[in-house]
């Protein structure tokens, strides 16, 4: 168990194309840690010209941004470096070079301050991110809960029994939901990242205009498949000819979004029903999608369950979720794998199921 009464955690996220830094303060015991400050720099504009993330550019930009963002959150929280008790950084999964920047900064800062650096699993950060939106009183999010994790790289349903105790119930056998949004958006001429753009365009479209496939909807298990959707989008797009109208583009966006949302909703609600759990957490970038939030909210309430989300701005990658994961781990004495010296490594491929097995 923690030996001191409070712990101020600096969180660093650099697994992909967002540099995120945040400060979270935890008290020993059960009380939910509190977000003190957070700062984020998105590299989306830099990668847009290439239609996707360029790993080398991502690493270089993380190097440029990390220390200024760290200074910014310390200033915003009116703290100094000496107030930091623990540094939590994203150890994986993600782009190797990008991860190394965050890990290097975290471990070097920890060594200079005489504080430990803890390598956090990126998906654990997403899973625990709704604790950043903790409402007061009896409405607190508590374990166990079912989680729908929908990001650019992952689509998973999990039972979250406790911090560090995750059971995978089902996942995508090919593309992630975010990838389906991004690739479809690219096909119909929207920028990168396409998810938010496709969702915006869909607002003026008819979701029934095109019959899009809903793969594995009736498979009886909790797995997903989205790779076929982009072929369907490409086929419809081609049929529209060289100069589709704005309405046709919006209709295709709305029909594509409806297919993704239908499958995610049906599987998440089915998992909720099967598990008997009464709490659903929706995390990861696609969790920002409004129709998905609405459908899950309505469906869960019919099952007598409640849905928890991170604050909208913290659905996509950020340092606050990494700091929160570090703080919740500190409260429970789960700091295995933290490094008090200069040794560190990253795990670009790191299955969440191996989290407990890491030294
Ligand atoms: O969690 P995240 O920031 O990064 C990963 O860990 O992958 O998720 C990014 C993904 C991207 O695919 C992006 O297009 C998608 O989340 N996304 C959305 C929305 N906002 C972000 N997809 C659909 N609707 C949105 N509003
Ligand atoms: Zn993520």
């Amino acid at each position: 168990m923690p030996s001191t009464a409070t712990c101020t955690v600096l969180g660093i996220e650099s697994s992909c194309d967002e540099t995120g830094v945040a400060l979270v303060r935890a008290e020993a015991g059960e009380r939910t840690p509190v977000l003190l400050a957070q700062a984020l720099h998105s590299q989306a504009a830099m990668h847009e010209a290439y239609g996707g993330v360029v790993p080398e550019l991502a690493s270089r930009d993380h190097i440029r941004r990390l220390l200024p963002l760290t200074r910014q959150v310390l200033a915003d929280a009116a703290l100094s470096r000496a107030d930091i008790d623990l540094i939590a950084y994203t150890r994986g999964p993600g782009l190797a070079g990008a991860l190394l920047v965050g890990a290097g900064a975290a471990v070097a800062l920890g060594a200079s301050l005489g504080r430990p650096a803890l390598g956090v699993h990126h998906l654990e950060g997403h899973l625990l991110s709704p604790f950043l939106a903790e409402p007061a009183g009896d409405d607190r999010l508590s374990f166990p809960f079912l989680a729908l994790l929908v990001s650019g790289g992952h689509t998973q349903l999990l039972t979250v029994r406790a911090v560090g105790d995750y059971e995978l119930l089902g996942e995508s056998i090919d593309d992630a939901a975010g990838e389906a949004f991004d690739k479809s958006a690219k096909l119909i001429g929207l920028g990168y990242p396409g998810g938010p753009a496709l969702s915006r365009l869909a607002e003026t479209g008819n979701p029934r205009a095109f019959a899009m496939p809903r793969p594995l909807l009736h498979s009886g298990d909790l797995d997903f498949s989205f790779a076929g959707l982009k072929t369907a989008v490409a086929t419809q797009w081609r049929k529209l000819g060289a100069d589709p109208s704005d309405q046709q583009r919006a209709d295709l966006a709305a029909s594509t979004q409806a297919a993704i949302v239908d499958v995610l909703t049906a599987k998440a609600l089915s998992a909720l029903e099967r598990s008997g759990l009464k709490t659903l957490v929706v995390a990861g970038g696609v969790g920002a999608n409004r129709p998905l939030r609405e459908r899950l909210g309505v469906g869960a309430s019919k099952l007598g369950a409640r849905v928890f989300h991170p604050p909208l701005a913290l659905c996509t990658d950020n340092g606050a979720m990494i700091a929160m994961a570090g703080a919740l781990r500190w409260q429970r004495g789960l700091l295995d794998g933290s490094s008090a010296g200069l040794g560190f490594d990253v795990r670009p491929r790191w299955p969440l199921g191996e989290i407990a097995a890491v030294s």
Side-chain angles (χ1 to χ4, degrees):
M1 280 308 286
S3 54
T4 50
T6 66
C7 180
T8 301
V9 185
L10 178 77
I12 294 178
E13 155 63 30
S14 71
S15 66
C16 189
D17 61 347
E18 325 270 352
T19 319
V21 181
L23 285 162
V24 163
R25 178 164 293 155
E27 288 176 15
E30 299 280 298
R31 188 177 285 201
T32 303
V34 177
L35 177 64
L36 303 179
Q38 73 112 8
L40 192 67
H41 174 77
S42 170
Q43 303 175 354
M46 184 178 80
H47 297 296
E48 193 175 3
Y50 305 94
V53 178
V54 183
E56 176 66 18
L57 295 182
S59 309
R60 285 165 186 251
D61 204 53
H62 288 308
I63 292 173
R64 272 193 294 272
R65 306 287 173 182
L66 259 177
L67 291 180
L69 290 177
T70 304
R71 281 190 211 106
Q72 186 184 327
V73 292
L74 284 169
D76 289 350
L79 294 176
S80 75
R81 286 192 313 164
D83 295 313
I84 298 169
D85 298 305
L86 172 68
I87 300 152
Y89 65 93
T90 304
R91 188 183 185 202
L95 301 170
L99 290 167
L100 279 167
V101 175
V107 171
L109 190 59
S112 75
L113 296 172
R115 302 289 191 229
L118 172 71
V120 168
H121 197 291
H122 180 81
L123 299 185
E124 175 167 271
H126 277 304
L127 286 176
L128 302 177
S129 62
F131 285 105
L132 292 161
E134 186 70 9
D138 291 342
D139 273 349
R140 269 162 46 109
L141 170 61
S142 60
F143 300 103
F145 54 79
L146 181 83
L148 173 66
L149 185 60
V150 270
S151 70
H154 295 84
T155 300
Q156 299 186 330
L157 280 162
L158 306 115
T159 306
V160 177
R161 292 195 202 91
V163 175
D165 186 353
Y166 313 115
E167 185 191 352
L168 184 65
L169 303 173
E171 65 182 333
S172 177
I173 58 171
D174 43 52
D175 290 357
E179 233 174 319
F181 268 104
D182 293 341
K183 287 178 177 171
S184 304
K186 200 169 178 177
L187 283 167
I188 59 179
L190 301 168
Y192 162 86
L198 188 136
S199 189
R200 259 193 314 277
L201 181 59
E203 281 170 24
T204 52
N206 172 7
R208 289 185 202 85
F210 298 93
M212 306 305 278
R214 279 140 175 84
L216 302 189
L217 184 61
H218 302 296
S219 61
D221 59 20
L222 296 172
D223 286 340
F224 304 86
S225 166
F226 292 110
L229 195 60
K230 62 178 185 289
T231 314
V233 174
T235 307
Q236 295 294 354
W237 182 245
R238 225 176 299 119
K239 279 189 197 161
L240 291 178
D243 191 21
S245 69
D246 287 351
Q247 190 57 50
Q248 285 172 320
R249 291 175 79 219
D251 286 349
L252 187 52
S255 302
T256 304
Q257 173 173 263
I260 300 171
V261 169
D262 271 2
V263 180
L264 292 175
T265 306
K267 298 262 170 162
L269 294 178
S270 160
L272 204 52
E273 210 167 0
R274 289 182 201 189
S275 68
L277 292 168
K278 293 294 171 200
T279 309
L280 172 66
V281 153
V282 186
V286 182
N289 185 268
R290 214 178 44 199
L292 178 64
R293 286 180 169 230
E294 285 167 6
R295 291 276 302 281
L296 286 171
V298 171
S301 78
K302 282 186 188 151
L303 296 172
R306 286 181 316 154
V307 186
F308 287 82
H309 302 271
L312 203 58
L314 300 178
C315 281
T316 45
D317 294 348
N318 62 84
M321 67 185 196
I322 303 302
M324 176 57 78
L328 290 167
R329 281 190 164 264
W330 173 83
Q331 282 183 322
R332 289 157 180 79
L334 297 171
L335 298 183
D336 354 343
S338 61
S339 135
L342 278 174
F344 69 97
D345 65 353
V346 294
R347 296 200 61 186
R349 294 175 183 277
W350 186 9
L352 189 60
E354 287 179 15
I355 203 166
V358 172
S359 62

